[in-house]
Amino acid sequence: MIGATCERKVRFVILESLYEIKAIQWALQVFGTVPISPVRAKDAIRTVADSLKAEQAVVLFPEGQLTRNGYLNQINKGYELMARMGGDVKVQPVWIDGLWGSVFSFDQGRFFTKRPRTFRYAVSTWYGHPIPAKEATVERMRQELLALAAEAFAARAAVQKRPGYTTAEGRKLTETEAASPS
């Protein structure tokens, strides 16, 4: 999703074990992905920093894994080191909304190898404001990502079409009445 909605060519940082899946190896090479492994993390950090110094856009998921429950996981600090080693770069928070249940999520306890619940997903990508690497702390990124998640949720069609509120007597409340505490 990010690659399709970004104007620049991007390099993705992905788990090295995905290179073992023959069906996607060609795509990993075409997109110039950067493999990362817990045993060779320094190599990935150097590769990402070099890419950033060469003014390439690099996408990585600071959680380090797909969410297991559809919510934001703990954010790891590795992206901070990569961004700071990359020179005078900015970190742009991005939220992808609407993928839960698709083959790209961990719904049903697995990803890629499951039958999706539906074949069309209303997926949207939300971009926050770029943040200088020195200010892009784990706490700040978490705040930014949660704010984007809230925006994305509020913009969902199902939320926009919510039924109106009614009183016990059946009278419809206005938006102002429904929003004010009683």
Side-chain angles (χ1 to χ4, degrees):
M1 291 305 307
I2 295 172
T5 61
C6 186
E7 294 177 5
R8 295 175 64 187
K9 182 181 181 216
V10 296
R11 296 187 74 186
F12 290 88
V13 177
I14 64 159
L15 195 59
E16 188 176 57
S17 61
L18 292 177
Y19 279 81
E20 297 170 13
I21 302 172
K22 299 230 184 279
I24 64 170
Q25 284 177 349
W26 66 272
L28 301 178
Q29 290 175 349
V30 167
F31 290 111
T33 58
V34 178
I36 192 164
S37 159
V39 295
R40 287 198 310 273
K42 288 182 183 179
D43 293 341
I45 290 169
R46 277 193 285 276
T47 302
V48 169
D50 290 345
S51 297
L52 292 171
K53 286 176 186 172
E55 298 183 1
Q56 295 176 344
V58 177
V59 176
L60 68 89
F61 297 92
E63 298 168 277
Q65 64 181 350
L66 285 175
T67 177
R68 298 299 196 245
N69 57 17
Y71 299 102
L72 183 63
N73 289 331
Q74 176 181 335
I75 297 175
N76 298 320
K77 292 184 174 194
Y79 79 91
E80 287 182 283
L81 178 60
M82 292 177 195
R84 289 179 183 153
M85 287 178 63
D88 186 25
V89 300
K90 295 189 186 239
V91 177
Q92 185 164 21
V94 178
W95 183 262
I96 302 172
D97 189 59
L99 280 178
W100 187 253
S102 76
V103 296
F104 300 107
S105 72
F106 203 74
D107 184 33
Q108 302 175 37
R110 56 196 166 156
F111 61 92
F112 294 131
T113 59
K114 68 173 168 285
R115 183 178 211 169
R117 296 177 191 265
T118 183
F119 290 101
R120 295 190 70 184
Y121 285 83
V123 178
S124 58
T125 308
W126 296 77
Y127 290 89
H129 297 288
I131 303 166
K134 291 179 182 172
E135 297 173 25
T137 63
V138 168
E139 297 81 20
R140 172 86 184 270
M141 290 305 292
R142 184 165 194 78
Q143 289 174 346
E144 297 289 333
L145 289 169
L146 289 173
L148 290 172
E151 274 186 72
F153 181 79
R156 288 182 184 176
V159 174
Q160 296 293 318
K161 295 178 184 175
R162 69 185 182 276
Y165 297 99
T166 57
T167 65
E169 298 83 32
R171 183 179 69 84
K172 279 194 167 233
L173 296 177
T174 66
E175 287 287 326
T176 307
E177 290 175 314
S180 67
S182 348

